[in-house]
Amino acid sequence: MSAEKSSQSRLRTELHLHLEGALTAARALALASAAKGVPSPPAGAVTGGGSEARWAYDDLGSFLRCFGWGTRLLVDEASYLLVFDDLVRSLRDDGVERAELFVAFGQMRRAGVDPRSILPGLARRAQEIDDEGGPTIHFIADATRQWGVREAERVLDAALDLQEQRIVGYSMGGDEWSLAAREFREIYRRARAAGLGLSCHAGEGTTAESVRSVVEELRVQRVGHGVAAVEDPQLLRELADEGIVLEVCPTSNRRTGVWSPDAGVHPVIPLIEAGVRVVVGSDDPAFFECSLSREAALLEEWGVDDEGFDRIERDACRARFANPLP
Ligand SMILES: [Zn+2]
């Protein structure tokens, strides 16, 4: 059995994946040519054309320009469904059985789009996919930290209105340096009281303190990335003791410059060794050209063995917000 094949058969639960990050360059060009009033892609953001088109960027700034331009093309149910169907095809090819997708409610609202006009269509499609044999897909409403508490609150209001539409969690991404986690404490308290699972991006390119703040102030069960926690042995012990799950995305870290192989082993390995629960995610697979099986292949290369993969998959099944295993 090849390394990739054996890895693919082990990880089947994807918990850190942005729906908008599944927008391929080919799909974006097709949407742009059909849309009115959308400017051309930023210079050099796309190479090739047609089905051969690829995103091109070489640092975090140019990546964010690609991502920002691409997501401006997602303005209605039809465009979201196209991206969703593209993603489902690649998840099936990859052997993924369950996924919880971040949907950028904050970004939608910024573009003048009400998530209530998008989610029912996605939920109907997710049900059809279930009926066709899967993967089983649920959604997490994602707010953007730097756009402030009031906006994050409106994202939660929309999420609560849409709980029947496969919304199982509330999360926040964006600029970790912008506003302190404690500002969002009341919003997370409301989300928890309503039965939503809680996640927050923290410790991606920042500090262990940023991870600590979302665990202590927001009481999240899962942290998006969280790799900066490796800097603080005391925090690692606390994360392990409390069973907090870090959603680690090695290829994403490489492509955005959060981690480089020149810096030594990826933090996922010391995190596992410290007994912290980790799951693995592809983050923005169309932009980073990765998949869950490719992330698994990396882990295998770095020495994660059968037992390690079993543990990651089991932790993912226990940490998922939709029907978690006990
Ligand atoms: Zn992410």
Side-chain angles (χ1 to χ4, degrees), residues 16-18 102 142 173 201 204 224-225 247 249 252 283-284:
H16 194 108
L17 170 53
H18 298 264
F102 297 113
D142 195 39
H201 281 58
E204 183 178 2
H225 295 282
E247 306 159 355
C249 309
S252 164
D283 207 4
D284 299 309

Side-chain angles (χ1 to χ4, degrees), residues 37-322:
V38 176
S40 305
V46 178
T47 59
S51 61
E52 301 297 308
R54 291 177 66 186
W55 294 115
Y57 54 89
D58 48 22
D59 57 20
L60 188 56
S62 53
F63 161 71
L64 290 173
R65 278 192 292 281
C66 288
F67 194 83
W69 175 76
T71 50
R72 284 183 60 189
L73 300 161
L74 302 176
V75 291
D76 54 18
E77 185 188 289
S79 50
Y80 263 94
L81 282 173
L82 287 170
V83 176
F84 187 48
D85 284 340
D86 288 344
L87 174 60
V88 167
R89 269 191 298 280
S90 57
L91 291 175
R92 277 183 180 150
D93 289 348
D94 207 39
V96 173
E97 293 176 358
R98 276 181 177 270
E100 295 183 354
L101 309 183
F102 297 113
V103 184
F105 278 33
Q107 183 96 30
M108 277 184 199
R109 289 184 40 80
R110 191 98 171 159
V113 178
D114 188 337
R116 296 170 187 82
S117 70
I118 309 286
L119 264 292
L122 289 176
R124 269 195 304 279
R125 185 74 191 107
Q127 183 58 52
E128 289 166 11
I129 290 160
D130 248 355
D131 296 341
E132 291 162 10
T136 296
I137 293 176
H138 292 86
F139 304 107
I140 298 170
D142 195 39
T144 306
R145 191 190 285 224
Q146 68 268 26
W147 294 339
V149 174
R150 187 73 196 104
E151 260 307 301
E153 201 169 15
R154 290 190 174 124
V155 166
L156 176 60
D157 292 340
L160 297 180
D161 287 349
L162 291 163
Q163 266 183 290
E164 299 296 306
Q165 312 296 332
R166 292 180 173 246
I167 295 280
V168 294
Y170 179 82
S171 72
M172 189 163 65
D175 181 0
E176 288 177 55
W177 300 109
S178 60
L179 287 164
R182 65 175 176 279
E183 306 278 336
F184 300 89
R185 203 157 38 185
E186 175 58 19
I187 298 172
Y188 270 76
R189 190 201 61 73
R190 271 182 66 210
R192 187 182 322 113
L196 291 174
L198 304 177
S199 178
C200 189
H201 281 58
E204 183 178 2
T206 57
T207 61
E209 198 45 43
S210 180
V211 178
R212 181 184 290 285
S213 69
V214 301
V215 172
E216 291 182 354
E217 303 283 356
L218 307 181
R219 295 177 54 201
V220 296
Q221 298 111 308
R222 300 186 343 215
V223 177
H225 295 282
V227 286
V230 288
E231 296 160 6
D232 183 342
Q234 172 61 25
L235 175 62
L236 291 184
R237 280 191 289 278
E238 290 168 22
L239 293 173
D241 288 348
E242 291 170 30
I244 305 292
V245 169
L246 305 188
E247 306 159 355
V248 181
C249 309
T251 298
S252 164
N253 294 159
R254 173 86 198 266
R255 298 292 302 268
T256 60
V258 165
W259 168 78
S260 154
D262 301 339
V265 65
H266 186 277
V268 70
I269 299 303
L271 288 170
I272 291 171
E273 287 168 356
V276 176
R277 290 189 188 176
V278 300
V279 298
V280 185
S282 57
D283 207 4
D284 299 309
F287 289 85
F288 302 141
E289 298 178 321
C290 63
S291 63
L292 190 60
S293 64
R294 280 199 51 191
E295 299 309 284
L298 279 176
L299 262 58
E300 189 157 19
E301 212 175 281
W302 296 337
V304 174
D305 60 11
D306 288 359
E307 203 182 314
F309 278 108
D310 288 348
R311 192 173 78 171
I312 291 170
E313 183 60 26
R314 193 173 58 244
D315 283 341
C317 291
R318 291 163 72 187
R320 69 193 188 211
F321 297 146

